[in-house]
Amino acid sequence: MGVSEELNNDFQLHDSVELASNEDVHKEDFSQFSKLDMVKYLENMNPESNFHEASANLKSIRAHYEHLLEQEEHVALAKFIEDGSSPEDFKYRRDETSNKFEEVFAKVKEKVSAHFSDLEKQKHKNLEIKKQLLDKMRAIIASDESAGSFQEFKKLQETWKATGPVTLAEAKELWANYQALTDMFYNNRSMYFELKELDRRKNLTLKQEIVSKIEQLVHHPNVQTAFNEMRKLQDEFRHLGPVPKEEHETIWTKLKAVSDTLHAKRQQFLEELSKQKEANLVLKQELILKLKQYEEFVSEKIDDWKEKSDAVLHIQEEWKKIGQVPEDKLKELSKEFWASGKKFFSNKNLFFKKLDAKRKDNLDKKVLLCEKAEALKDNEDYASTSKALIQLQKEWSKIGQVPIKYKDTIYDRFKKACDSFFQQQRDLKVQAEAVLVENLKAKEAYIKELEAKVKAASAETEETLMTYLQKWEDLGFVPMDNKKALQEKFREVLLAFIDKMPIETELKEKLQLKIEVKQGGNKHVESLVKDLQRKAAIVKTEIEQYNNNMAFFANSPKASALKEQVMVKIKDAEVELKKLNDKLRILKG
């Protein structure tokens, strides 16, 4: 096998083993990350280690972050409306974690963008450098062979290897020219075989080290990371020069075997990941069907909306917990899911808009009641004002809720007006009760004074009794709990005075009636009147009955005796009737 053929076999490694590409990088699964997890990930990210990987993960983390943010906004809006506020007043304010995310994301993105911008500029510089290297290689091949030409050519190869990538449009043609010139050089410089053999041994050692490193990657816990690292090592292997012909097949076989092993592991990993993504896809499709059931939900009850909101939010939480889905389905799937949630919350917003209008109307009604209560609070007509305020309170209780931000202030305003009036009345009542207690003491002392006069057998007349009664009235009211007993005690004293007065019984009874009229009150007098009227009616009936009986008596001595007895009874009854009528006149007078 010639040098050219050997080199071609080495370079064929590029075709038999895939090299790293910009798209074949490890992509982090952010589906289970919280915002804080994302911030920590960005803070710990080292884009310099793999800018292609960093770029891909920045795109992915931004998409998942936007999903989280959209969900947070839905939840915040739902709570805002449930608290009684109007959707038009809602303004979502990002928390500190969101602000931190934007800050860290911008820094990492700036680094990545700057790298690729610099990389593109560097590619153009590398292109010029490699073109110059090719010109120098052509010059060496065209020149006479010398002792230094081999080393000079090797230096050019090292410089070529050390120079970075070029623009994609020029890469293929540039590499083909480099490959052809290298082949020409080794075919034309056979006189320096020993130097070439030494270089090949060195290349063999380096390639063996690379194979050993790849063998260690077989046991790496992260298959994707191991695969990406293998790609880098394969690239190094490819850029190394030829090895001794007798070792070429061996080192190539080892590299291919270990590469195939890692390829198989990665393929198994990708198949399992693909199955998991498909399973996740089914789970998320089921959640979409669940969520669609709430799209057309309507109710006139707040509790119903709260219950369904909790159910929708629960579904959204389940969605977050499910892992990755096939990338070609992600955007469409997420759009459909969040659209269903948005429709539900849009319907909910409409409900609360109507509710808010009703609450504003309720607020206007309660403001009017406040104004009425404030106009009444200083009114001194306790009875009518008290009834009016109680009626306003009843009206207040029938009016529904007001917007949440006015709930406390409007209630406090109404309560303050009502409390002001009733507190004034309470204060007056306390003052009045104090007066009543003082009156009680005065009346108790007055009773003792009169009781002493009764014991002293003081001569009293109707005029003096009326004076005592008037003074008693002038002493004022007493606490209701003491009124009845005190009144009875005073009455007993007056009756004791009457009992000792040197007048006829009938006059005493009339005097007692006058006192009853003065002291007893309307209800008591009405009761006495009814009792006397009842008795008078009975006596009157008896007189009528006696008169009827008189018509049946015959003219005989025996009948005359009976007539005289009946006449006596009629006289007595007429006297009794006159007394009753006199008493009635006194009571009615």
Side-chain angles (χ1 to χ4, degrees):
M1 181 186 296
V3 175
S4 177
E5 186 181 353
E6 182 183 328
L7 284 173
N8 284 333
N9 283 337
D10 271 340
F11 294 144
Q12 284 169 8
L13 183 63
H14 174 70
D15 299 321
S16 60
V17 181
E18 295 179 27
L19 295 177
S21 67
N22 291 348
E23 295 180 356
D24 195 9
V25 294
H26 170 62
K27 291 183 180 179
E28 189 70 47
D29 179 9
F30 298 107
S31 60
Q32 304 300 317
F33 277 43
S34 66
K35 286 196 304 183
L36 187 60
D37 292 334
M38 292 181 183
V39 170
K40 290 179 180 177
Y41 178 87
L42 289 172
E43 287 177 334
N44 295 325
M45 181 185 276
N46 180 22
E48 290 85 355
S49 62
N50 189 328
F51 280 101
H52 290 294
E53 183 175 301
S55 179
N57 283 325
L58 278 181
K59 183 179 179 181
S60 179
I61 201 172
R62 166 55 74 177
H64 283 87
Y65 169 75
E66 293 296 340
H67 287 324
L68 278 182
L69 209 60
E70 185 176 359
Q71 184 178 9
E72 281 185 2
E73 187 170 351
H74 277 305
V75 173
L77 176 59
K79 187 176 187 307
F80 184 77
I81 295 171
E82 283 174 11
D83 288 340
S85 300
S86 173
E88 287 81 5
D89 297 334
F90 178 73
K91 186 176 181 181
Y92 181 62
R93 291 180 177 81
R94 298 187 179 188
D95 57 19
E96 286 300 317
T97 307
S98 295
N99 294 334
K100 186 66 176 176
F101 175 89
E102 297 292 354
E103 177 188 339
V104 182
F105 182 88
K107 288 180 181 178
V108 177
K109 184 180 178 182
E110 186 179 1
K111 285 184 181 180
V112 173
S113 298
H115 164 76
F116 283 109
S117 177
D118 293 342
L119 184 62
E120 198 61 29
K121 293 176 184 176
Q122 188 60 46
K123 282 181 180 180
H124 286 91
K125 290 180 181 179
N126 293 342
L127 176 62
E128 294 304 316
I129 292 171
K130 286 191 173 183
K131 283 181 178 179
Q132 292 173 13
L133 290 174
L134 291 177
D135 289 340
K136 289 180 181 179
M137 291 170 74
R138 290 187 186 97
I140 291 174
I141 292 170
S143 66
D144 294 331
E145 189 174 352
S146 67
S149 61
F150 184 79
Q151 291 301 326
E152 189 178 350
F153 195 85
K154 288 297 294 180
K155 285 181 181 179
L156 292 176
Q157 283 185 306
E158 290 298 328
T159 303
W160 177 279
K161 182 180 173 183
T163 304
V166 299
T167 54
L168 189 62
E170 307 285 344
K172 188 173 181 180
E173 182 182 353
L174 205 68
W175 175 257
N177 290 335
Y178 172 80
Q179 204 172 4
L181 289 171
T182 302
D183 192 30
M184 288 172 62
F185 175 79
Y186 280 106
N187 286 334
N188 296 337
R189 275 21 179 209
S190 57
M191 64 179 291
Y192 297 104
F193 181 77
E194 289 184 5
L195 290 174
K196 289 187 291 183
E197 191 64 24
L198 183 64
D199 189 58
R200 287 176 176 180
R201 287 288 170 188
K202 182 180 177 184
N203 292 340
L204 175 63
T205 300
L206 293 174
K207 288 187 175 184
Q208 286 172 334
E209 289 176 0
I210 289 173
V211 171
S212 178
K213 287 179 181 179
I214 295 175
E215 286 173 339
Q216 292 174 18
L217 290 175
V218 173
H219 306 291
H220 196 284
N222 190 312
V223 176
Q224 187 61 45
T225 300
F227 186 79
N228 292 338
E229 189 60 32
M230 178 189 74
R231 291 292 183 80
K232 294 176 186 177
L233 292 171
Q234 288 174 342
D235 198 36
E236 287 184 36
F237 189 100
R238 182 170 68 90
H239 282 87
L240 289 171
V243 300
K245 287 184 280 185
E246 65 275 11
E247 298 291 344
H248 172 79
E249 192 64 31
T250 303
I251 194 66
W252 163 254
T253 303
K254 282 186 177 182
L255 175 64
K256 189 173 185 307
V258 71
S259 297
D260 287 346
T261 301
L262 261 177
H263 267 288
K265 283 191 72 173
R266 179 176 180 268
Q267 188 59 35
Q268 182 182 356
F269 165 75
L270 291 177
E271 287 173 1
E272 290 174 357
L273 182 61
S274 178
K275 287 178 183 178
Q276 184 59 55
K277 286 182 177 181
E278 289 295 334
N280 292 342
L281 174 63
V282 172
L283 292 176
K284 289 198 169 186
Q285 287 171 335
E286 289 174 355
L287 288 184
I288 288 174
L289 291 177
K290 267 189 182 181
L291 195 56
K292 280 186 178 294
Q293 297 174 8
Y294 298 95
E295 282 186 0
E296 304 301 329
F297 174 78
V298 289
S299 175
E300 295 302 317
K301 296 180 180 178
I302 294 176
D303 287 343
D304 289 347
W305 281 105
K306 186 178 185 305
E307 180 186 339
K308 294 301 183 287
S309 293
D310 290 342
V312 169
L313 293 176
H314 178 70
I315 292 173
Q316 291 178 341
E317 284 299 318
E318 287 184 27
W319 177 276
K320 285 170 57 181
K321 293 175 183 176
I322 298 172
Q324 291 178 302
V325 298
E327 289 187 14
D328 61 331
K329 304 285 186 181
L330 176 61
K331 188 173 182 179
E332 180 184 349
L333 203 68
S334 295
K335 183 179 180 181
E336 186 176 4
F337 178 79
W338 292 110
S340 287
K342 190 172 183 180
K343 189 169 183 182
F344 168 79
F345 285 109
S346 176
N347 291 337
K348 184 178 178 181
N349 290 350
L350 289 175
F351 165 74
F352 278 99
K353 277 183 182 179
K354 294 179 183 177
L355 184 64
D356 190 54
K358 176 63 178 172
R359 286 178 171 176
K360 285 181 179 177
D361 183 53
N362 291 341
L363 177 62
D364 292 339
K365 292 178 180 178
K366 288 192 172 183
V367 167
L368 183 60
L369 292 184
C370 285
E371 292 171 351
K372 288 182 179 180
E374 287 164 350
L376 290 170
K377 69 183 180 69
D378 295 320
N379 197 317
E380 294 180 358
D381 184 351
Y382 174 74
S384 62
T385 305
S386 178
K387 287 180 182 178
L389 283 176
I390 290 172
Q391 182 59 36
L392 290 181
Q393 289 174 338
K394 289 179 180 177
E395 290 178 32
W396 180 280
S397 65
K398 292 177 184 177
I399 299 173
Q401 292 182 323
V402 301
I404 192 70
K405 59 183 176 181
Y406 300 110
K407 179 182 176 183
D408 292 335
T409 53
I410 194 67
Y411 173 76
D412 290 343
R413 180 181 173 184
F414 183 70
K415 185 175 182 294
K416 183 180 178 182
C418 293
D419 287 351
S420 175
F421 171 77
F422 287 112
Q423 186 59 48
Q424 290 178 53
Q425 300 310 313
R426 281 192 289 271
D427 292 343
L428 290 173
K429 187 178 179 182
V430 169
Q431 295 172 13
E433 286 176 352
V435 172
L436 293 178
V437 171
E438 290 301 317
N439 293 347
L440 174 63
K441 291 178 181 178
K443 285 192 171 184
E444 286 174 339
Y446 189 50
I447 287 174
K448 287 181 180 179
E449 179 186 332
L450 294 179
E451 285 174 340
K453 286 188 176 185
V454 171
K455 287 180 181 179
S458 173
E460 303 295 339
T461 65
E462 181 178 339
E463 288 74 16
T464 57
L465 288 182
M466 291 302 160
T467 302
Y468 295 155
L469 194 58
Q470 186 59 50
K471 184 175 180 182
W472 176 265
E473 296 297 330
D474 292 343
L475 288 175
F477 295 105
V478 298
M480 190 60 67
D481 293 344
N482 305 97
K483 178 181 178 180
K484 188 174 180 180
L486 198 70
Q487 196 77 4
E488 184 61 31
K489 205 167 184 182
F490 179 67
R491 181 174 173 275
E492 288 174 0
V493 172
L494 293 181
L495 292 179
F497 277 128
I498 294 171
D499 188 55
K500 290 188 176 185
M501 289 173 67
I503 58 176
E504 295 178 2
T505 302
E506 185 178 344
L507 292 175
K508 288 181 179 181
E509 289 178 355
K510 288 182 178 180
L511 191 53
Q512 288 175 2
L513 280 177
K514 288 182 179 180
I515 290 172
E516 292 288 354
V517 172
K518 277 284 199 179
Q519 193 182 14
N522 290 336
K523 288 186 178 180
H524 182 61
V525 171
E526 286 174 5
S527 177
L528 289 174
V529 167
K530 286 180 180 179
D531 186 53
L532 289 173
Q533 286 175 337
R534 181 181 58 79
K535 288 179 180 180
I538 293 171
V539 173
K540 190 175 181 182
T541 301
E542 288 176 353
I543 293 171
E544 290 175 354
Q545 185 65 44
Y546 289 146
N547 286 325
N548 289 334
N549 291 340
M550 288 286 289
F552 295 101
F553 292 144
N555 293 321
S556 64
K558 190 175 180 181
S560 295
L562 286 173
K563 283 183 179 180
E564 287 179 7
Q565 291 178 8
V566 172
M567 288 299 292
V568 170
K569 287 183 179 180
I570 289 174
K571 238 179 226 187
D572 291 341
E574 286 175 344
V575 170
E576 179 64 21
L577 182 60
K578 184 177 182 302
K579 287 180 181 180
L580 291 172
N581 286 331
D582 288 344
K583 288 180 179 180
L584 283 169
R585 279 193 295 273
I586 292 171
L587 291 175
K588 290 180 178 179

